[in-house]
Amino acid sequence: DESDSAQVSALLPRQLQLAKRLLDGNQSTDQGAEEKAEKLLRRSLSLAEKTGLGKSKISVELLLATAHLFEKRGRKLQTEGLLKKALSVQESLTSPSDSSLLPLLNQLATLFGESKDRKQRNEMLKRICTITGDEYIEEISPEDCINQARAALKSHDASAADTALAPLANWWLGDLPATLPEFDLNLLLMTRANVLEASENWEEAISTRKRALEMLLRPDHPQRNQAWP
């Protein structure tokens, strides 16, 4: 009834703060504290659902706190589910284009980037741009760019191959992402050299291929003793 709902409304914020205290400070690496916090958050979410508060602001906060804990513990799939539910509840409280959705959309975009789910990541980025008014440019994976370029070369379309590699131009110029595996750079450079040769840009093709081979022949290179694909 209404009195129960009012009591739960007053209880849930205190439960949330207690869970956060269990996870903060010196106890943040305490597995026992994390387990206590998880049980507390799960009970609070269940209570919110049972008392008609599943679509409330405090429910969003509980979902986010639980998602943060699960992500910290490496439970990515459950983290995704909680963030999506939090996003749905927040949408029902505001609108699909409200700026309050941006932190959630950014968290989901980051999560999908880590799991290499490019389709869902692009969906989140597109929504972010719709809210902020920025131009949306679809992300394409380096692998997709390289594969598109190689397919174009097989069709003897050097221009299309060059266009396919264009988003990675900064990479072969030296502005590389910190997490880029070195083998990917070699594959990119060799593909770039093939494109230059197809365009009859012999001098740059030779220097690009030389750079790739010098990198590949370094004693510490992980692919040195493997056949080139």
Side-chain angles (χ1 to χ4, degrees), residues 75-131:
R75 292 150 69 174
K76 300 293 185 182
L77 192 59
Q78 289 173 293
T79 301
E80 177 188 328
L82 288 164
L83 289 176
K84 283 184 173 179
K85 187 172 182 179
L87 178 64
S88 175
V89 174
Q90 186 64 23
E91 284 177 331
S92 71
L93 295 172
T94 56
S95 74
S97 59
D98 193 82
S99 61
S100 66
L101 302 178
L102 289 173
L104 274 163
L105 292 170
N106 274 304
Q107 287 184 64
L108 281 165
T110 299
L111 192 67
F112 292 136
E114 291 172 354
S115 64
K116 297 185 178 180
D117 188 336
R118 198 157 298 277
K119 180 180 178 181
Q120 290 203 75
R121 174 173 167 79
N122 275 314
E123 288 176 3
M124 296 301 107
L125 294 176
K126 188 173 184 178
R127 290 195 60 183
I128 290 169
C129 290
T130 299
I131 294 172

